[in-house]
């Protein structure tokens, strides 16, 4: 039994077909079939049923595969240890942070790291919605702070950092804000909802939490959104920490909208499992977990 055979089995299971696994591993289908057959002969077990279009783990294969994935994780961890022992200070580290997360604690950390690692250029990108995940998965970002919405959890390490309160707000003179009680979806459809575009897609995508059938304006960031709300030109959800002063002085007020209560949105520190962190990136990761 070899590590390569276990990698082949894992790829076939995850990709669903021999063709998909061959493309993923950049090998021929015949080579994968040969390696898997050799493994099954050595073990005297049938690991995959080939009776259907998509190969399926047999009952014995499921038990074996569970143990095999543990071995593969241990090997990956061992490689990470070896590479970290030889790691050098990176020329650049890229952080992508979702726009709903407060930056204060992160800025203090970056300032201290700049002093400690002056040769490393630390880049900080603010992204909306799926933008952080895209930056991580395409290799642009080393570490992200994001929600886990649409995140491939089997490909990342994620640690909870804290939650951000999102609440619907508007100018105090905005019609629905002056109405006592709950505003129904039907009533809100006549008013403009301001949403932030998803920075992680080629085509402009709208924010989560859209009012069905309602009027809508799309903006690029929360700063523009807040300006529009303050100008009494619509309503929308905002991270509470970005509008603390406005809520205190009354220039913005909370809205009571059917199906849109204030919600707690959990945020996580995330990195890819298959990408070895350099000295500075690992230092950022460890220090953020202590914040």
């Amino acid at each position: 039994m070899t590590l390569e055979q276990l990698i082949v089995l894992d790829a076939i299971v995850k990709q669903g077909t021999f063709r998909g696994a061959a493309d993923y591993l950049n090998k021929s289908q015949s080579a994968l079939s040969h390696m898997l057959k050799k493994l099954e002969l050595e073990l005297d077990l049938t690991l995959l049923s080939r009776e259907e279009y998509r190969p399926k783990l047999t009952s014995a294969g499921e038990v074996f595969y569970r143990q095999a994935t543990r071995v593969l994780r241990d090997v990956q961890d061992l490689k990470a240890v070896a590479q970290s022992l030889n790691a050098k200070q990176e020329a650049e580290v890229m952080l992508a942070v979702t726009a709903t997360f407060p930056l204060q604690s992160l800025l203090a950390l970056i300032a201290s790291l700049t002093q400690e690692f002056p040769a490393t250029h630390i880049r900080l990108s603010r992204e909306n919605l799926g933008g952080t995940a895209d930056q991580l998965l395409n290799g642009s970002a080393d570490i992200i702070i994001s929600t886990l919405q649409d995140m491939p959890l089997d490909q990342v390490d994620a640690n909870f950092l804290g939650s951000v309160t999102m609440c619907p707000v508007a100018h105090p003179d905005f019609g629905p804000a002056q109405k006592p009680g709950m505003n129904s979806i039907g009533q809100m459809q006549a008013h403009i909802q301001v949403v932030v575009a998803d920075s992680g897609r080629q085509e402009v995508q709208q924010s989560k939490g859209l009012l069905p059938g309602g009027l809508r304006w799309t903006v690029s960031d929360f700063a523009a959104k807040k300006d529009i709300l303050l100008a009494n030109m619509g309503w929308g959800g905002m991270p509470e920490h970005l509008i603390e002063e406005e809520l205190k002085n009354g220039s913005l007020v909370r809205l009571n909208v059917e199906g849109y209560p204030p919600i707690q949105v959990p945020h996580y520190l995330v990195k890819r499992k298959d990408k070895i962190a350099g000295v500075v990136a690992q230092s950022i990761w460890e220090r953020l977990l202590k914040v």
Side-chain angles (χ1 to χ4, degrees):
M1 186 189 328
T2 67
L3 176 62
E4 188 176 21
Q5 289 171 329
L6 298 183
I7 291 172
V8 166
L9 175 62
D10 184 53
I12 294 169
V13 173
K14 287 182 176 176
Q15 300 301 318
T17 63
F18 280 85
R19 178 185 292 277
D23 291 341
Y24 178 75
L25 296 175
N26 197 26
K27 295 181 182 294
S28 68
Q29 287 184 242
S30 60
L32 265 59
S33 296
H34 176 73
M35 280 188 276
L36 183 65
K37 188 63 178 177
K38 188 175 180 181
L39 176 61
E40 290 179 320
L41 288 173
E42 180 183 345
L43 299 173
D44 194 23
L45 289 172
T46 300
L47 301 175
L48 288 173
S49 169
R50 284 90 157 171
E51 296 176 359
E52 301 177 6
Y53 169 70
R54 289 183 177 273
K56 184 178 179 181
L57 285 168
T58 62
S59 55
E62 288 180 355
V63 175
F64 181 84
Y65 179 64
R66 281 197 296 271
Q67 297 298 322
T69 54
R70 293 176 187 171
V71 171
L72 291 173
R73 282 196 299 269
D74 288 342
V75 170
Q76 188 177 58
D77 291 343
L78 191 58
K79 286 182 179 179
V81 170
Q83 292 190 29
S84 66
L85 292 174
N86 284 321
K88 294 183 174 70
Q89 183 175 334
E90 309 96 304
E92 181 177 88
V93 173
M94 172 67 171
L95 304 177
V97 182
T98 187
T100 52
F101 187 81
L103 279 181
Q104 287 80 355
S105 58
L106 192 60
L107 295 177
L109 173 63
I110 292 174
S112 66
L113 285 166
T114 301
Q115 297 282 335
E116 188 173 344
F117 301 103
T120 297
H121 177 206
I122 298 176
R123 295 176 56 204
L124 176 64
S125 171
R126 287 290 252 175
E127 302 290 336
N128 300 322
L129 301 170
T132 46
D134 280 5
Q135 291 282 330
L136 182 70
L137 297 176
N138 69 23
S140 299
D142 300 287
I143 296 172
I144 66 171
I145 295 177
S146 175
T147 69
L148 295 184
Q149 180 76 32
D150 300 325
M151 192 78 68
L153 298 180
D154 61 325
Q155 299 178 34
V156 301
D157 288 323
N159 287 271
F160 177 71
L161 288 182
S163 292
V164 170
T165 302
M166 295 287 295
C167 58
V169 295
H171 189 278
D173 293 336
F174 189 65
Q178 298 179 321
K179 177 183 175 296
M182 177 79 70
N183 289 279
S184 70
I185 290 177
Q187 290 169 325
M188 294 301 296
Q189 286 174 337
H191 301 279
I192 293 171
Q193 181 184 13
V194 186
V195 299
V196 174
D198 190 336
S199 64
R201 305 290 183 261
Q202 291 297 322
E203 48 192 60
V204 176
Q205 298 287 323
Q206 310 304 336
S207 166
K208 307 298 184 202
L210 295 178
L211 185 82
L215 301 174
R216 189 180 310 151
W217 282 2
T218 302
V219 297
S220 61
D221 54 58
F222 281 103
K225 183 174 184 175
K226 184 165 78 168
D227 285 343
I228 292 171
L229 300 181
L230 287 168
N232 193 17
M233 298 175 71
W235 71 280
M238 287 287 294
E240 200 169 65
H241 66 273
L242 293 181
I243 53 171
E244 283 183 2
E245 191 60 36
E246 288 77 12
L247 290 174
K248 285 180 182 177
N249 63 32
S251 54
L252 288 177
V253 295
R254 291 180 175 84
L255 277 182
N256 193 2
V257 179
E258 178 187 1
Y260 293 82
I263 58 172
Q264 294 291 312
V265 180
H267 287 64
Y268 297 81
L269 186 66
V270 188
K271 64 179 180 179
R272 281 170 47 171
K273 288 181 178 179
D274 64 346
K275 187 174 181 181
I276 306 304
V279 173
V280 182
Q282 186 60 32
S283 181
I284 292 172
W285 177 267
E286 292 172 358
R287 295 184 199 189
L288 278 173
L289 291 180
K290 296 176 182 178
V291 173

